[in-house]
Amino acid sequence: MIANTGLLEQLRATLRPYGAQLIAVSKTKSKEAILEVVATGQKAFGENYVQELLDKQALLPTEIEWHFIGHLQTNKVKYIAPFIHCIHSIDSQRLLVEIDKQAMKFGRIIPCLLQVHIAREETKFGLSFDEARAILDDPKTTLLKHVRIIGCMGMASNTDSAEIVRKEFRELKSFLDAVSISHPDMVELSMGMSSDYKLALEEGSTMIRIGSSIFGERSYSPVP
Ligand SMILES: *Cc1c(COP(=O)(O)O)cnc(C)c1O
């Protein structure tokens, strides 16, 4: 056994009362490990590099719903547009425009989440709250008929302080609640990973992205 399928059951039980969805983050993991997890009934998988996703998508069952969770370059959108289920990492309007253009070619509407920078670290990608709001309120965004912005994604600080992590998640939830008044499609909150998903659930997450707890620690991080 490559994946921790017992823990997967436990995770699902934890999520159930919250009605949240589990995204199994399979980056760097083998096709065999993914198939083990698919066999437990898991459909949603997350990847963060386009080439790796394409390699896996070509070989794995078509019923898998692939979520893109990493930084996405506009010139790579065309490769994933035919099949991607949801893109969690929108960090510019330019990217949305490109996704719209490519989705149109395939007669698709691609669900997208605005990635908001909530962590203290400076290195992580993402929009400020003001930038996210500006994208939502821009009439040019409203013209995009082949993307649907359904919520926000955020990564909390990498810290042992539950207090800081909780506060960051809470800020993202407040933002979502505020913008959803004028943008009723905004309902999803993608937040929480192996180390902080319990806090994320308590703070209103609807999609948690779990990698290492399911698949074990990653031995390397590929460079994009
Ligand atoms: C790798 C990754 C995860 C999963 O992280 P784990 O700590 O392994 O659960 C979640 N979200 C994003 C954006 C990631 O890149």
Side-chain angles (χ1 to χ4, degrees):
M1 209 182 66
I2 321 172
N4 191 344
T5 45
L7 204 128
L8 201 59
E9 283 313 311
Q10 244 173 284
L11 263 175
R12 291 206 184 98
T14 308
L15 262 68
R16 206 163 295 129
Y18 295 97
Q21 189 190 1
L22 174 63
I23 319 283
V25 176
S26 48
K27 63 187 184 204
T28 79
K29 298 302 171 181
S30 68
K31 186 181 145 235
E32 290 72 25
I34 295 172
L35 282 172
E36 275 185 14
V37 175
V38 169
T40 71
Q42 180 67 27
K43 272 180 115 173
F45 288 83
E47 288 283 341
N48 62 349
Y49 297 111
V50 169
Q51 191 54 54
E52 187 179 344
L53 169 59
L54 293 175
D55 293 345
K56 288 174 177 172
Q57 193 266 343
L59 296 169
L60 286 160
T62 51
E63 59 264 33
I64 291 182
E65 296 173 350
W66 293 103
H67 291 246
F68 197 81
I69 61 172
H71 179 63
L72 181 57
Q73 290 168 273
T74 48
N75 62 348
K76 301 216 170 134
V77 171
K78 56 180 178 286
Y79 303 116
I80 64 171
F83 66 87
I84 199 74
H85 186 75
C86 180
I87 300 173
H88 293 228
S89 42
I90 303 299
D91 56 7
S92 70
Q93 191 184 47
R94 192 170 142 254
L95 182 57
L96 275 176
V97 168
E98 179 64 16
I99 296 168
D100 182 72
K101 178 178 150 197
Q102 298 300 332
M104 183 164 64
K105 290 186 185 164
F106 299 99
R108 300 192 64 214
I109 297 170
I110 299 180
C112 292
L113 305 174
L114 299 180
Q115 181 173 352
V116 181
H117 180 104
I118 55 172
R120 295 175 158 195
E121 292 102 59
E122 294 211 346
T123 51
K124 287 182 182 162
F125 290 105
L127 302 157
S128 67
F129 288 117
D130 286 345
E131 288 167 336
R133 188 184 277 279
I135 289 177
L136 286 167
D137 291 343
D138 189 330
K140 271 200 300 197
T141 305
T142 323
L143 292 174
L144 306 175
K145 298 302 178 200
H146 294 269
V147 291
R148 182 171 295 135
I149 307 174
I150 59 167
C152 295
M153 186 267 249
M155 279 190 273
S157 294
N158 185 7
T159 165
D160 289 334
S161 165
E163 213 176 311
I164 291 171
V165 170
R166 187 184 291 283
K167 182 170 163 285
E168 290 168 353
F169 286 152
R170 194 167 287 180
E171 282 167 2
L172 190 56
K173 168 69 171 156
S174 304
F175 175 76
L176 185 85
D177 288 346
V179 293
S180 66
I181 297 168
S182 47
H183 303 278
D185 282 351
M186 296 286 286
V187 293
E188 302 288 350
L189 210 44
S190 168
M191 56 185 201
M193 331 204 315
S194 294
S195 58
D196 57 17
Y197 72 90
K198 285 186 181 141
L199 288 172
L201 288 169
E202 287 169 15
E203 298 304 330
S205 176
T206 66
M207 294 171 149
I208 64 165
R209 310 177 310 271
I210 305 280
S212 41
S213 292
I214 298 173
F215 291 101
E217 294 297 328
R218 287 175 293 275
S219 46
Y220 72 98
S221 332
V223 179

